[in-house]
Amino acid sequence: MPKIKTHKGLKKVLNVRKSGTVTIGRPGSRHNTGSKSQAVNRKNRKGSVLSKADRNRLQNIIK
């Protein structure tokens, strides 16, 4: 069996930490931020953690 290649587009979006958790940016933070509230913009800056179900679904592609 050949090895499964890493999906390069997904690799640029996700960040895998040493603990195994996967971080991803929040949607809605790219443009038109002037009309959004400052609280929303601050929250988008921090990003979020990928859910366990999504992490299990993508575990072969992320590596």
Side-chain angles (χ1 to χ4, degrees):
M1 286 291 292
K3 292 182 179 180
I4 298 175
K5 291 187 176 181
T6 301
H7 193 280
K8 295 298 184 178
L10 196 62
K11 186 180 177 185
K12 293 170 187 173
V13 172
L14 302 178
N15 182 19
V16 182
R17 293 178 178 166
K18 287 184 180 179
S19 63
T21 59
V22 181
T23 58
I24 189 169
R26 286 180 183 256
S29 61
R30 301 286 184 218
H31 56 85
N32 296 338
T33 54
S35 61
K36 295 168 187 168
S37 68
Q38 289 181 344
V40 169
N41 287 331
R42 278 195 303 271
K43 196 178 289 186
N44 283 342
R45 225 178 279 144
K46 294 182 180 180
S48 61
V49 178
L50 200 66
S51 69
K52 187 177 179 183
D54 287 335
R55 190 177 69 227
N56 291 338
R57 184 170 55 89
L58 300 172
Q59 65 184 354
N60 289 331
I61 304 172
I62 294 172
K63 295 176 183 177

